[in-house]
Amino acid sequence: MKLATLRSPSSRDGNLVIVSRDLRHAVRVPDIAATLQQALDDWSRTEALLRSRAEALEAGTLEDAFDFDPAAAAAPLPRAYQWCDGSAYLSHAELVRRARNAEMPQSLYHDPLIYQGGGDRMAGPRDPILIADEAWGIDLEAEIAVITDDVPMGVSADEAARHILLVTILNDVSLRNLIPSELAKGFGFFQSKPATAFAAVAVTPDELGDAWDGRKLALPLRSWVNDRWLGEPNGGHDMNFDFAALIAHAAKSRELGAGTIVGSGTVSNRDRAVGSSCLAEVRMLETIDSGKPETQFLRFGDRVKIDMTDVAGASIFGTIEQTVVRYEPAG
């Protein structure tokens, strides 16, 4: 089952729709749940109703079905009660720390790193990357994420896996030149993490077939900048902490509410032939090879594309396509 949120002039949380597997058609379901958050809050009731409507959509028997336009989609959860992002691929963590002359803490090899991001305003798959200053070091980060139901405090990793309801992909934009001074304060990211953009569609794990093992997604996550291939690391390879481990870590001392989004961090493989999911990795590899980076961070007008396809080559979540745009204050 594939779910999305269409923008609505009357609600910041948009309108929930079911999307066909080929991403071509959709149907609104206000009689089941007005928003995705409402559906997640009452998943024990809404799941079966949504699945039944999804089957009817696939069968072509719904008169109120319409063409699905990803440009009209918001993030699946335009406002998330909780957005926490991990650093599950240590090959990425090692490189970016080398880039800022920082040590790799030994604790990261056995204890996941997670930061709490801003969930008040998520960007949709076609929204611009709004940044005020190019000098901040604008970078994409292609990631995978899961969305949970209510997770109890102290949940084990095995139990945590059963709380994963939906899977999607995202672009967790980073401002690389703001990160070092923020982290030096010892209090984490804030200004260096602008709005995160999500694919139009979040899917139930059964849509992913054998690529989903209940804890991670073993498919290539592909990225391009200005139509130039950046990389396609496999989400199931070199994931030191799977989603179950990340959820258990996040829930060690708190309950997680339904609709919590948990990100993987930048997908990264140790096989460098598959490329990278962010420019910081590219720059660090260039520095290792030649002593200095050649690739520039994103500039105004640059275009970013992120997608994941199934084994038949069909997009699973819809493509994230964004342009970097200078932010101009209103008025």
Side-chain angles (χ1 to χ4, degrees):
M1 180 168 59
K2 299 191 175 188
L3 303 174
T5 294
L6 295 184
R7 300 182 191 281
S8 168
S10 61
S11 171
R12 290 190 180 189
D13 298 309
N15 299 133
L16 175 64
V17 296
I18 299 171
V19 181
S20 60
R21 289 191 177 94
D22 61 8
L23 305 180
R24 295 179 60 188
H25 302 103
V27 63
R28 293 181 175 84
V29 287
D31 57 314
I32 301 175
T35 67
L36 179 56
Q37 184 62 54
Q38 287 182 11
L40 295 168
D41 286 340
D42 195 15
W43 194 249
S44 61
R45 179 188 69 87
T46 61
E47 180 186 13
L49 297 173
L50 291 169
R51 286 189 180 277
S52 177
R53 199 70 54 87
E55 290 172 4
L57 178 64
E58 293 298 328
T61 60
L62 298 179
E63 294 183 358
D64 53 349
F66 55 90
D67 292 341
F68 179 63
D69 179 10
L77 286 170
R79 294 188 292 181
Y81 286 119
Q82 179 144 246
W83 155 230
C84 49
D85 198 17
S87 185
Y89 300 88
L90 295 187
S91 58
H92 168 75
E94 290 163 356
L95 279 176
V96 296
R97 276 164 176 74
R98 287 180 67 179
R100 59 175 186 261
N101 295 315
E103 292 291 330
M104 183 73 171
Q106 289 302 305
S107 63
L108 286 187
Y109 289 100
H110 55 79
D111 195 31
L113 184 152
I114 293 181
Y115 79 91
Q116 191 158 356
D120 55 326
R121 189 164 185 170
M122 302 302 201
R126 300 291 189 274
D127 287 345
I129 300 171
L130 291 174
I131 305 295
D133 192 340
E134 284 182 344
W136 290 344
I138 310 162
D139 199 358
L140 71 153
E141 289 192 57
E143 302 187 16
I144 303 167
V146 299
I147 301 174
T148 75
D149 60 6
D150 291 308
V151 180
M153 187 192 313
V155 68
S156 70
D158 287 341
E159 293 168 339
R162 294 193 286 271
H163 290 277
I164 296 171
L165 299 185
L166 300 171
V167 184
T168 190
I169 60 172
L170 61 105
N171 178 17
D172 184 43
V173 179
S174 287
L175 303 177
R176 298 294 184 188
N177 294 339
L178 300 185
I179 290 176
S181 60
E182 282 206 296
L183 295 187
K185 299 174 184 177
F187 221 50
F189 301 117
F190 198 89
Q191 291 179 338
S192 50
K193 288 291 186 179
T196 302
F198 288 78
V201 169
V203 311
T204 50
D206 56 284
E207 290 287 334
L208 303 169
D210 293 339
W212 176 257
D213 69 358
R215 303 167 75 114
K216 59 183 181 294
L217 178 55
L219 287 171
L221 182 59
R222 298 184 169 94
S223 304
W224 297 262
V225 174
N226 296 327
D227 298 323
R228 181 179 178 181
W229 179 83
L230 181 64
E232 49 186 49
N234 190 298
H237 298 171
D238 305 316
M239 190 179 195
N240 297 76
F241 304 103
D242 60 30
F243 283 110
L246 293 176
I247 293 168
H249 180 84
K252 177 178 179 177
S253 59
R254 64 171 79 178
E255 297 176 336
L256 306 180
T260 291
I261 306 172
V262 179
S264 65
T266 307
V267 177
S268 178
N269 292 166
R270 296 192 181 279
D271 176 6
R272 297 304 174 187
V274 299
S276 297
S277 294
C278 70
L279 297 175
E281 277 195 13
V282 175
R283 288 167 56 87
M284 190 63 237
L285 291 169
E286 290 171 343
T287 300
I288 292 170
D289 288 341
S290 62
K292 64 178 182 178
E294 301 285 342
T295 300
Q296 299 296 310
F297 286 121
L298 297 172
R299 300 299 188 103
F300 297 133
D302 283 346
R303 304 181 313 280
V304 170
K305 184 167 76 169
I306 300 170
D307 197 13
M308 179 178 279
T309 59
D310 60 23
V311 292
S315 181
I316 299 171
F317 309 98
T319 307
I320 298 171
E321 297 184 56
Q322 297 183 276
T323 301
V324 184
V325 174
R326 183 191 298 273
Y327 172 73
E328 299 290 351

